[in-house]
């Protein structure tokens, strides 16, 4: 082993031997966490990333594709209840091409591809049915491309062409949709499906398209639109009530007025045809013919006044001859003809009743007549239609507001008390932790000082006696005689050799670890200075 590695290993083993039991435990735990984290990171980095190969698959198609993946030894994952197959990113395009070459996934609804297999010997009925099936398949595939739609089916009812316009019927269509779990189609999406279907079929009106979901709910009924009568009335009431309420909140203040609207709507669709004729002024006639007739009569005796027996009574004078002339003119003038075809959709408001209540305190600050006119205008009240407006000034009950205020005050007080208790509890915990920390520091300091002093004993506890001069002895009292203090005895040679041995140990320690020796000497000097 190289020298530097041996030296490093020795240093590390020395450092490890100097650790306490708690430090060694922490080191072992840290090393285990690092090893487990490294293994998890390597495992995660080595795991391939999966991407969807196909989604919204039928069970039969999913089974066939999974069988192909098993044959190719390609790992895969199933999601969304088995309708989505995911494979590693590196295999997505290869497996997709292989599935396409095998005709997978099979088309749920065939579109215009049905016309490719039609022969020239097909009958007219077969051609008509195949064309209708192709249109249904294309519409279904287009609807399934919308967000939230997993499956769609379109059925067209196209009547046969006839030369009799009086018996002509309009085509109709029904659309079945199945949404993804947790998804609900909005009114805009339903309207998009209706208009998409109606625009693709000649002569199909949006009112003749019905949309039904997998739960059996009618999203759009023929003749009623995408919303039923109750939903349309409810949407209208909410919209108008919100508009009136917003105006009242700005005039009398929030919470000082309430609005209630009841609307009656016509849920039937009306197709009205109106023809009117008018003669344009100053326009020339289309054609004009004039005929004149003139006749002249001769004299005769048979003329006169008829008598009672139906015999002419002679007047006694010869009658003069008679002549007549008649002129007849025929003109064919131009006439303007106007034909109006009006389609009245469902959801027309027939009548609405608006009720408004204003608080007495707030109504005293505004004019009641002005406020009534503003409310009527904002709600679109039409008196000729039979609309009514009822506005009353009444004192509002404050019980609910008082209860809410009391509840809020109680909640605030409770929250304040809880916050105060939590603050004191934190202070107590902090003080206790600080006290425990201080006690631990003091105990550790005392133990460390004791250990330092026990490492090298220089003989300060049993110092050698001074042999140079005896201690002075105080004079004894006159009444008591004490014997003289004997002279001190010199220390034996064994003590001197012990001190030399300790001094030699201290010098060896200073040579091995000067910093530690300096710390020991400082602590001894501090102890003696304190004494």
């Amino acid at each position: 082993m190289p020298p530097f590695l041996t030296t490093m290993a020795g240093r590390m083993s020395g450092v490890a031997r100097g650790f306490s039991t708690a430090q060694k435990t922490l080191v072992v735990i840290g090393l285990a966490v690092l090893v487990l984290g490294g293994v998890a990171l390597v495992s995660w980095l080595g795991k391939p990333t999966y991407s969807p190969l196909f989604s919204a698959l039928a069970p039969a198609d999913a089974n066939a594709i999974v069988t192909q993946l098993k044959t190719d030894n390609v790992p895969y994952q199933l999601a969304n209840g088995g309708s989505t197959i995911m494979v590693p990113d590196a295999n997505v395009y290869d497996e997709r091409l292989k599935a396409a070459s095998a005709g997978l996934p099979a088309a749920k609804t065939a579109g215009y591809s049905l016309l490719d297999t039609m022969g020239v010997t097909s009958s007219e009925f077969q051609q008509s049915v195949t064309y209708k099936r192709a249109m249904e398949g294309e519409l279904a595939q287009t609807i399934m491309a919308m967000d939230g739609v997993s499956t769609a089916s379109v059925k067209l009812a196209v009547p046969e062409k006839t030369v009799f316009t009086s018996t002509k019927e309009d085509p109709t269509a029904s659309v079945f949709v199945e949404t993804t779990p947790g998804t609900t189609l909005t009114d805009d999406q339903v309207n998009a499906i209706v208009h998409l279907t109606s625009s693709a079929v000649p002569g199909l009106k949006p009112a003749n398209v019905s949309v039904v979901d997998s739960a059996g709910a009618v999203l759009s009924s023929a003749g009623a639109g995408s919303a039923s009568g109750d939903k349309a009335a409810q949407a209208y009431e909410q919209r108008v009530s919100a508009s009136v309420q917003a105006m009242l909140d700005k005039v009398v203040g929030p919470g000082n007025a309430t609005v209630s609207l009841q609307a009656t709507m016509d849920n039937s669709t009306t197709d009205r045809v109106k023809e009117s004729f008018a003669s344009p002024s100053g326009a020339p006639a289309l054609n004009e013919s004039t005929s004149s007739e003139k006749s002249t009569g001769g004299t005769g005796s048979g003329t006169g006044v008829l008598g009672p027996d139906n015999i002419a009574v002679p007047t006694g004078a010869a009658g003069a001859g008679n002549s007549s002339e008649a002129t007849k003119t025929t003109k064919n003038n131009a006439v303007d003809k106007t034909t109006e075809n009006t389609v009245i959709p469902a959801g027309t408001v027939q009548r609405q009743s608006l009720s408004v209540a204003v608080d007495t305190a707030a109504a005293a600050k505004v004019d009641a007549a002005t406020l009534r006119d503003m409310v009527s205008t904002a709600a679109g009240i039409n008196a000729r239609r039979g609309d009514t407006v009822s506005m009353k000034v009444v004192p509002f009950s404050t019980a609910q507001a008082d209860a809410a205020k009391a509840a809020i005050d109680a909640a605030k007080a409770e929250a304040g008390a809880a916050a105060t208790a939590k603050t004191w509890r934190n202070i107590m915990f902090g003080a206790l932790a600080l006290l425990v920390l201080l006690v631990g520091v003091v105990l550790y300091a005392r133990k460390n000082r004791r250990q330092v002093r026990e490492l090298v004993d220089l003989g300060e506890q049993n110092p050698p006696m001074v042999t140079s001069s005896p201690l002075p002895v105080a004079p004894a009292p006159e009444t008591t005689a004490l014997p003289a203090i004997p002279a001190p005895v010199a220390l034996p040679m064994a003590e001197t050799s012990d001190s030399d041995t300790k001094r030699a140990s201290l010098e060896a320690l200073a040579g091995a670890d000067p910093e530690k020796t300096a710390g020991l000497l400082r602590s001894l000097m501090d102890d003696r200075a304190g004494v």
Side-chain angles (χ1 to χ4, degrees):
M1 183 180 293
F4 73 93
L5 292 179
T6 306
T7 306
M8 185 178 298
R11 291 180 179 178
M12 292 179 64
S13 61
V15 173
R17 285 194 298 268
F19 286 169
S20 63
T21 304
Q23 291 175 339
K24 292 180 180 178
T25 304
L26 292 177
V27 170
V28 171
I29 295 175
L31 291 177
V33 170
L34 289 176
V35 171
L36 293 177
V39 172
L41 181 61
V42 172
S43 174
W44 180 74
L45 292 176
K47 185 178 180 180
T49 304
Y50 285 80
S51 298
L53 179 65
F54 293 105
S55 59
L57 291 172
D61 294 337
N63 184 26
I65 294 174
V66 167
T67 303
Q68 175 186 333
L69 295 176
K70 290 181 178 179
T71 304
D72 297 340
N73 294 325
V74 176
Y76 64 91
Q77 293 180 353
L78 299 179
N80 297 330
S83 61
T84 301
I85 301 177
M86 305 180 69
V87 297
D89 293 340
N91 304 104
V92 171
Y93 300 106
D94 293 340
E95 295 301 323
R96 192 171 292 172
L97 292 175
K98 290 182 180 179
S101 63
L104 296 174
K108 297 180 180 179
T109 53
Y112 288 126
S113 59
L114 294 174
L115 302 178
D116 298 337
T117 58
M118 191 185 314
V120 294
T121 59
S122 301
S123 62
E124 183 179 357
F125 174 77
Q126 185 177 2
Q127 293 177 1
S128 176
V129 172
T130 305
Y131 178 71
K132 187 175 70 172
R133 288 179 55 196
M135 292 186 63
E136 293 174 351
E138 291 293 332
L139 288 173
Q141 291 180 4
T142 306
I143 293 173
M144 283 190 293
M146 298 179 63
D147 293 337
V149 179
S150 60
T151 306
S153 176
V154 180
K155 302 299 180 183
L156 301 177
V158 181
E160 297 182 359
K161 296 181 180 180
T162 177
V163 295
F164 302 100
T165 57
S166 60
T167 60
K168 182 180 180 181
E169 297 180 359
D170 294 333
T172 58
S174 61
V175 181
F176 171 82
V177 293
E178 181 179 358
T179 59
T180 56
T183 303
T184 302
L185 296 181
T186 62
D187 292 340
D188 294 337
Q189 290 177 313
V190 175
N191 288 329
I193 294 174
V194 170
H195 288 83
L196 174 67
T197 306
S198 63
S199 300
V201 181
L204 180 59
K205 300 178 181 178
N208 293 333
V209 179
S210 300
V211 181
V212 183
D213 63 359
S214 57
V218 179
L219 304 180
S220 177
S221 59
S226 60
S228 61
D230 295 338
K231 293 183 179 179
Q234 184 178 4
Y236 175 80
E237 292 171 358
Q238 292 178 354
R239 184 174 67 255
V240 176
S241 299
S243 177
V244 177
Q245 186 68 54
M247 184 198 66
L248 291 175
D249 290 342
K250 293 182 179 179
V251 175
V252 299
N256 293 324
T258 180
V259 179
S260 177
L261 178 65
Q262 184 69 29
T264 303
M265 308 190 75
D266 186 8
N267 297 326
S268 60
T269 303
T270 305
D271 190 356
R272 181 182 300 171
V273 178
K274 180 181 178 182
E275 293 184 355
S276 59
F277 300 90
S279 177
S281 60
L286 295 178
N287 51 57
E288 180 178 356
S289 62
T290 303
S291 61
S292 59
E293 183 180 353
K294 183 176 182 183
S295 62
T296 302
T299 59
S301 60
T303 61
V305 180
L306 296 178
D309 52 358
N310 202 21
I311 298 175
V313 178
T315 57
N322 295 327
S323 63
S324 62
E325 184 176 356
T327 302
K328 181 180 180 182
T329 303
T330 303
K331 291 183 179 182
N332 294 326
N333 296 322
V335 178
D336 289 341
K337 178 181 179 182
T338 303
T339 303
E340 296 180 359
N341 189 356
T342 304
V343 178
I344 302 176
T348 304
V349 178
Q350 293 180 335
R351 185 178 178 273
Q352 60 181 355
S353 301
L354 181 65
S355 178
V356 180
V358 184
D359 188 19
T360 304
K365 303 177 183 179
V366 296
D367 184 25
T370 304
L371 187 61
R372 183 185 180 89
D373 294 339
M374 294 173 61
V375 168
S376 300
T377 304
I381 300 298
N382 188 356
R384 292 179 299 177
R385 189 174 54 189
D387 299 348
T388 59
V389 178
S390 176
M391 190 176 69
K392 301 295 182 181
V393 179
V394 295
F396 281 14
S397 175
T398 60
Q400 186 176 2
D402 296 339
K405 183 178 179 181
I408 293 174
D409 294 340
K412 289 183 178 179
E414 184 178 358
T420 303
K422 185 177 180 180
T423 302
W424 281 109
R425 185 167 61 253
N426 294 336
I427 292 174
M428 292 178 61
F429 288 159
L432 182 60
L434 182 60
L435 180 61
V436 172
L437 180 63
L438 291 176
V439 171
V441 170
V442 171
L443 294 177
Y444 178 77
R446 293 183 61 182
K447 182 178 179 181
N448 191 22
R449 291 176 60 184
R450 188 180 298 111
Q451 291 177 353
V452 171
R453 294 185 61 182
E454 290 176 355
L455 290 175
V456 178
D457 189 1
L458 299 180
E460 67 274 15
Q461 295 181 357
N462 298 316
M465 298 181 64
V466 181
T467 59
S468 59
S469 61
L471 295 174
V473 180
E478 296 179 358
T479 59
T480 305
L482 296 176
I485 299 175
V489 181
L491 294 174
M493 293 302 294
E495 295 180 358
T496 304
S497 62
D498 189 12
S499 300
D500 294 338
T501 302
K502 292 180 180 180
R503 186 177 295 105
S505 300
L506 184 61
E507 291 177 356
L509 179 63
D513 194 350
E515 294 182 359
K516 189 173 181 179
T517 305
L520 293 175
L521 293 176
R522 290 193 193 95
S523 62
L524 291 175
M525 294 174 64
D526 293 340
D527 292 342
R528 292 183 178 181
V531 175

